[in-house]
Amino acid sequence: MKKKEVIWILVICFVIGIISCLITIGIYEKKMQKFSSSINQNITKEDDSITVTKEMTARITPSTKMIYEYYYTEDDVTQTLEDVPPYFLLDMTLEDMKKVYTDWQIISFSSKEVIMRKTLEAKSDEQYIIGEKNGYVAVFYKEPQHGIVLHEITNTPLSALPLEERERLLEGISVTGDENLSKILSDYTS
């Protein structure tokens, strides 16, 4: 083969290679655009009225806003409590939450915000007991039908409190009404 023929063959191969690369890059970019737009869409599931923001797989982070709604059937009152997620919820997905909170309805779930609702067949001016659960300050309901039921576990470890307060909590502190509960809890959680 002559030198000119070899050069032409190399030039043609080079041009075909560049065209192939450009076509491949174009196809790849289109697929990535479709993929990223589908990830960022909000998807509403009809079953269980759950709204899920699909961010690959949404997970609870330390900055996730936890909103707990308590609906009291006897006086038709809904009370809302907003909190940071307790340590044991961090990195959980919607499916994990469903396994842990079987008696709650998960209304909305994303890494920014989780809204959960619990229906209680009681009046909103409830009796509470502040005590201990798994080494943390916890709040329990006094329910006529079910006895004492866990309401929430705070982020405050019992070991961080003075001995006298630990002993009081181990015995249980009775509280009437949400306002009084909030006042007393703020003493233990601040």
Side-chain angles (χ1 to χ4, degrees), residues 67-72 75 77-81 116 118 123-126 128 141 151 177-179:
I67 299 174
Y68 303 95
E69 294 179 351
Y70 299 95
Y71 174 67
Y72 297 92
D75 52 5
V77 172
T78 300
Q79 295 179 345
T80 304
L81 172 70
M116 299 170 51
K118 185 170 190 172
K123 290 184 179 178
S124 58
D125 194 25
E126 291 289 319
Y128 299 97
Y141 283 116
H151 172 64
D178 294 319
E179 261 186 41

Side-chain angles (χ1 to χ4, degrees), residues 1-177:
M1 252 198 256
K2 293 181 182 178
K3 194 175 181 182
K4 274 188 171 181
E5 290 174 349
V6 172
I7 291 174
W8 275 109
I9 291 173
L10 288 175
V11 169
I12 291 172
C13 288
F14 180 74
V15 170
I16 291 173
I18 289 176
I19 292 171
S20 297
C21 287
L22 292 174
I23 291 171
T24 303
I25 289 170
I27 292 170
Y28 177 76
E29 285 178 348
K30 283 182 183 178
K31 285 186 178 184
M32 287 306 293
Q33 286 174 348
K34 282 183 184 178
F35 179 71
S36 66
S37 68
S38 71
I39 287 175
N40 295 328
Q41 286 180 335
N42 287 345
I43 297 173
T44 303
K45 284 182 158 184
E46 294 303 320
D47 62 322
D48 298 329
S49 300
I50 300 173
T51 303
V52 180
T53 301
K54 192 145 187 170
E55 304 163 349
M56 290 298 241
T57 302
R59 293 183 179 277
I60 295 178
T61 68
S63 63
T64 302
K65 186 187 327 179
M66 300 295 295
I67 299 174
Y68 303 95
E69 294 179 351
Y70 299 95
Y71 174 67
Y72 297 92
T73 58
E74 289 184 19
D75 52 5
D76 195 32
V77 172
T78 300
Q79 295 179 345
T80 304
L81 172 70
E82 189 176 309
D83 203 359
V84 296
Y87 74 94
F88 60 87
L89 292 182
L90 296 179
D91 206 38
M92 279 195 177
T93 63
L94 174 61
E95 294 306 315
D96 297 333
M97 289 288 292
K98 285 180 180 178
K99 291 175 189 172
V100 173
Y101 289 98
T102 56
D103 57 341
W104 287 77
Q105 181 183 10
I106 300 173
I107 305 299
S108 174
F109 188 93
S110 74
S111 60
K112 291 181 182 179
E113 180 181 82
V114 175
I115 301 174
M116 299 170 51
R117 182 177 299 144
K118 185 170 190 172
T119 301
L120 302 167
E121 294 183 24
K123 290 184 179 178
S124 58
D125 194 25
E126 291 289 319
Q127 293 286 320
Y128 299 97
I129 297 175
I130 302 174
E132 178 271 339
K133 177 81 175 171
N134 298 331
Y136 286 84
V137 175
V139 179
F140 300 86
Y141 283 116
K142 278 186 179 178
E143 292 184 319
Q145 300 123 342
H146 307 295
I148 297 174
V149 178
L150 180 64
H151 172 64
E152 72 174 295
I153 299 175
T154 69
N155 292 329
T156 306
L158 221 56
S159 60
L161 301 173
L163 181 60
E164 292 175 17
E165 294 301 323
R166 281 187 264 172
E167 290 174 354
R168 282 186 66 208
L169 287 167
L170 289 173
E171 290 175 14
I173 301 169
S174 290
V175 180
T176 301

